[in-house]
């Protein structure tokens, strides 16, 4: 049984069959799903899905692409949402400079504020990073140190990780972080395979990021949590391990990080 640690069932791509799909996942080999929010509205939806389905858990947060209008009062809303049953993380949060550098200051403010909220609440973070790794490594190092000095801990998952082994080792040194491996590892020209070969199995959790980043052999289709098995099988191939061993280890890793 697998744990899909990152799935966006609030996305409109699931409007036609969301309830049926979510209900069917345990019968299709997916024991647990974590649905993160990307803004206040989707965070509320994530909380509602967690309330409706025993195998679904929620994260609440503001994605870097949605933080142009961020105000400190948003943290108060997230704090209240995080008190709801089955909210196990603050996310999806992070930095993304891929499209524009216009809102860098707002992204950094939102990201740092949400990291500090997570540390205060004792929750892990689900971190998105694209074209911003220098700032990410610096901020994570600073915030992890500050949290430790305050008797707290900054921990979590680097979602959709697809960087090289050097970046993996640098981030690993910051503290208790796992790395979300998704469909990209199955792509024929992906360099992520080389990184996964070097990663410790205890540092890996599996994800789909559905409906995005659909793994082979379903590229071009809508992604869904049941396809996490293709990620598991690829990681097992790269590590020279049975898929069942990878499934058990990555599920245990995720349950430890998210306190499930």
């Amino acid at each position: 049984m697998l744990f899909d640690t990152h799935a966006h069932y609030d996305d409109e791509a699931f409007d036609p069959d969301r309830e049926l799909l979510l209900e069917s996942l345990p019968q299709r080999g997916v024991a647990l799903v974590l649905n993160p929010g990307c803004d206040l509205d989707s965070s509320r939806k994530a909380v509602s899905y967690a309330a409706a389905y025993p195998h679904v858990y929620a994260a609440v947060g503001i994605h870097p692409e949605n933080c142009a209008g961020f105000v400190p009062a948003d943290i108060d809303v997230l704090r209240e949402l995080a008190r709801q049953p089955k909210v196990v993380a603050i996310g999806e949060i992070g930095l993304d400079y891929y499209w524009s550098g216009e809102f860098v200051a707002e992204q950094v403010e939102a990201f740092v504020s949400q990291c500090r909220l997570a540390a205060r609440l004792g929750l892990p973070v689900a971190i998105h990073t694209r074209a911003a790794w220098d700032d990410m490594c610096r901020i994570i190092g600073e915030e992890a140190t500050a949290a430790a000095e305050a008797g707290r801990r900054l921990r979590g998952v680097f979602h959709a990780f697809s960087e090289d082994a050097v970046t993996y080792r640098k981030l690993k040194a910051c503290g208790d972080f796992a790395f979300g491996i998704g469909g990209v590892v199955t792509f024929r020209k992906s360099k992520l395979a080389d990184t996964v070969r070097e990663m410790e199995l205890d540092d890996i959790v599996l994800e789909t990021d559905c409906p995005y980043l659909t793994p082979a052999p379903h590229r071009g289709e809508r992604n869904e949590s049941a396809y996490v098995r293709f990620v598991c099988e690829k990681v097992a191939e790269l590590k020279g391990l049975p898929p069942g061993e990878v499934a058990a280890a990555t599920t245990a890793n995720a349950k430890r990080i998210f306190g499930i």
Side-chain angles (χ1 to χ4, degrees):
M1 296 294 282
L2 295 157
F3 190 157
D4 181 3
T5 61
H6 204 102
H8 295 285
Y9 282 103
D10 55 281
D11 192 277
E12 62 183 11
F14 294 111
D15 286 351
D17 59 351
R18 181 179 293 108
E19 292 183 8
L20 180 63
L21 185 55
L22 284 169
E23 288 172 358
S24 72
L25 290 177
Q27 289 73 46
R28 301 171 69 202
V30 181
L32 296 166
V33 176
L34 178 62
N35 193 118
C38 289
D39 55 22
L40 298 183
D41 183 54
S42 60
S43 293
R44 293 185 182 99
K45 290 179 180 177
V47 171
S48 72
Y49 302 153
Y53 302 96
H55 51 285
V56 177
Y57 288 78
V60 297
I62 300 174
H63 189 284
E65 292 181 4
N66 298 322
C67 70
F70 174 81
V71 293
D74 293 340
I75 296 296
D76 296 329
V77 178
L78 292 175
R79 183 183 295 107
E80 290 304 310
L81 287 171
R83 291 178 174 148
Q84 299 303 307
K86 297 176 72 181
V87 175
V88 295
I90 301 298
E92 177 179 352
I93 67 176
L95 302 173
D96 191 326
Y97 304 164
Y98 182 78
W99 297 110
S100 170
E102 185 176 356
F103 297 108
V104 168
E106 290 88 343
Q107 287 191 35
V108 170
E109 180 186 6
F111 178 53
V112 169
S113 297
Q114 291 178 98
C115 283
R116 292 176 181 176
L117 173 65
R120 286 195 298 272
L121 296 177
L123 291 174
V125 288
I127 299 177
H128 167 107
T129 313
R130 186 164 55 165
W133 280 105
D134 287 345
D135 279 1
M136 177 58 66
C137 292
R138 174 182 58 80
I139 291 170
I140 283 295
E142 292 171 355
E143 291 302 313
T145 298
E149 289 173 350
R152 300 172 179 143
R153 187 160 56 115
L154 182 62
R155 59 194 175 90
V157 173
F158 287 99
H159 147 66
F161 188 73
S162 59
E163 301 304 306
D164 59 22
V166 173
T167 304
Y168 156 68
R169 287 190 288 268
K170 183 184 297 186
L171 294 168
K172 180 177 167 61
C174 291
D176 188 11
F177 287 95
F179 299 81
I181 303 300
V184 172
V185 76
T186 70
F187 298 173
R188 184 164 48 179
K189 296 183 179 180
S190 171
K191 296 180 180 179
L192 179 57
D194 294 332
T195 305
V196 169
R197 288 189 185 96
E198 294 197 33
M199 296 175 75
E200 295 180 25
L201 186 57
D202 285 349
D203 293 333
I204 296 174
V205 297
L206 305 181
E207 62 172 61
T208 60
D209 200 20
C210 65
Y212 317 108
L213 296 178
T214 310
H218 291 280
R219 288 193 73 179
E221 303 173 21
R222 182 188 72 176
N223 202 2
E224 59 181 69
S225 291
Y227 292 167
V228 75
R229 75 178 181 90
F230 297 109
V231 180
C232 179
E233 290 167 0
K234 184 63 178 181
V235 170
E237 174 192 326
L238 294 168
K239 305 297 285 183
L241 297 170
E245 183 175 340
V246 172
T250 55
T251 295
N253 295 342
K255 291 174 74 173
R256 171 181 57 81
I257 289 166
F258 296 116
I260 296 173

